[in-house]
Amino acid sequence: MSFRATVLTLFPEMFPGPLGQSLAGRALEQGIWSLEARDIRASATDRHRTVDDHPAGGGAGMVLKPDVLAAAIDAAPHEGPRLLMSPRGEPLTQALVRELAAGPGCLIVCGRFEGVDERVIGKRSLREVSIGDYVLSGGEPAALVLLDAVVRLLPGVMGKQASGEEESFEGGLLEHPHYTKPNSWEGAEIPGILLSGDHKAIARWKQEQREALTRLRRPDLWRAHESGKI
C-alpha cells in the first residue's frame, strides 16, 4: 500500500512543485506514494468564496475561518494523522519523519494569513508541526519540506537503504564529512583513513567525526545524545 498525502491549501498549484522531481518525483510516478492538493476555498459557501475574517479581539491580519477549514478537512479523504504546519508547533525531527513514513499517509493543512482559528485545531485534532524558528508566508513551503523528508524514507525510494542510516540526525548525531575524487584538490587531501580499505577503521573515523561535529555545532543534540534521549 502506497503512502497517501493529502494537502489542504489556498494554492493547490504549488504542488507537487519540487516533489515532482528527482527521487520524490520518480517515486510519485511509480506509485510508491500519492499526492492530492485540495483547495480550501472550494469549501466556502458564499459567492465570494470567503475563507478568512478579522481576528476576534482586534489585531493585524486575517484568520482562516473555522467553518470553512473544518468543512475542507471533513471532505478530504485521508489516512494517518492530521497535521497543521505552524511556527508554534513541535519541531520536525528525523524521529517524527520516521514515524510518519512508517504510517499510511497524512493530511497536511497549510495555514495562511495570521493563522487558523484555534477551535479547528482542537475540534479536528490537528497536530501542529514546525520546520524551524521563523515565519513563512504560508504553510505550503513547510509542507513541501515535510513531505520531501518523509518520501525519501519510504521503501523503494532511495537506491541504498544504508544511505539513510548515516545521515545527520540519525542516532541523534550530525553527519560525518564526505569526500570523493580527485584525491588531491587545491592542496587538500582526502583523509588517508578513507583510502585505506580498512572498513572497521573507517567506521570508527566516521563515528568520531559525527560526535566531534555534533559537540561543536549542536551542543543541544550532543546533550540529548549523551543522556540517551535520542
Side-chain angles (χ1 to χ4, degrees), residues 160-177:
K160 292 183 178 180
Q161 192 62 33
S163 66
E165 294 174 358
E166 294 183 342
E167 295 178 324
S168 289
F169 311 115
E170 292 293 345
L173 298 173
L174 298 182
E175 194 169 9
H176 58 78

Side-chain angles (χ1 to χ4, degrees), residues 206-224:
K206 288 181 177 180
Q207 182 66 17
E208 290 168 358
Q209 292 294 312
R210 296 182 73 201
E211 292 176 356
L213 282 170
T214 305
R215 283 196 301 267
L216 176 65
R217 300 182 182 181
R218 290 293 301 275
D220 57 323
L221 286 179
W222 180 249
R223 287 192 297 270

Side-chain angles (χ1 to χ4, degrees), residues 177-195 205:
H178 292 280
Y179 300 88
T180 189
K181 296 178 180 177
N183 293 356
S184 178
W185 177 76
E186 294 191 354
E189 305 286 335
I190 293 178
I193 188 66
L194 298 180
L195 305 176
W205 179 89

Side-chain angles (χ1 to χ4, degrees), residues 41-50 67-68 71:
R41 204 173 295 275
S43 295
T45 57
D46 67 322
R47 63 189 183 92
H48 298 296
R49 302 178 75 197
T50 304
D67 51 344
V68 175

Side-chain angles (χ1 to χ4, degrees), residues 20-226:
Q21 306 298 320
S22 190
L23 289 175
R26 288 196 294 271
L28 193 60
E29 292 177 356
Q30 295 167 0
I32 295 175
W33 74 294
S34 65
L35 172 64
E36 181 185 10
R38 299 172 68 97
D39 192 348
I40 296 172
R41 204 173 295 275
S43 295
T45 57
D46 67 322
R47 63 189 183 92
H48 298 296
R49 302 178 75 197
T50 304
V51 298
D52 60 331
D53 209 332
H54 297 285
M62 305 291 279
V63 178
L64 277 172
K65 290 168 59 65
D67 51 344
V68 175
L69 182 55
I73 293 171
D74 294 343
H78 77 283
E79 295 182 85
R82 295 169 170 173
L83 310 177
L84 170 65
M85 306 313 301
S86 165
R88 73 177 195 181
E90 64 182 282
L92 178 63
T93 62
Q94 195 66 15
L96 176 53
V97 168
R98 287 195 300 268
E99 175 188 330
L100 293 172
C106 60
L107 173 74
I108 305 176
V109 177
C110 298
R112 278 276 161 176
F113 315 120
E114 289 301 307
V116 171
D117 189 298
E118 188 71 20
R119 294 170 292 180
V120 181
I121 298 173
K123 292 288 188 180
R124 295 300 183 270
S125 301
L126 300 182
R127 182 178 182 180
E128 297 181 74
V129 178
S130 169
I131 65 167
D133 295 338
Y134 45 85
V135 179
L136 301 170
S137 57
E140 289 80 11
L144 291 169
V145 167
L146 182 148
L147 286 173
D148 182 85
V150 169
V151 168
R152 63 192 301 279
L153 294 188
L154 299 178
V157 175
M158 286 194 288
K160 292 183 178 180
Q161 192 62 33
S163 66
E165 294 174 358
E166 294 183 342
E167 295 178 324
S168 289
F169 311 115
E170 292 293 345
L173 298 173
L174 298 182
E175 194 169 9
H176 58 78
H178 292 280
Y179 300 88
T180 189
K181 296 178 180 177
N183 293 356
S184 178
W185 177 76
E186 294 191 354
E189 305 286 335
I190 293 178
I193 188 66
L194 298 180
L195 305 176
S196 68
D198 186 336
H199 298 296
K200 289 185 178 179
I202 291 172
R204 285 196 302 270
W205 179 89
K206 288 181 177 180
Q207 182 66 17
E208 290 168 358
Q209 292 294 312
R210 296 182 73 201
E211 292 176 356
L213 282 170
T214 305
R215 283 196 301 267
L216 176 65
R217 300 182 182 181
R218 290 293 301 275
D220 57 323
L221 286 179
W222 180 249
R223 287 192 297 270
H225 175 74
E226 280 196 307

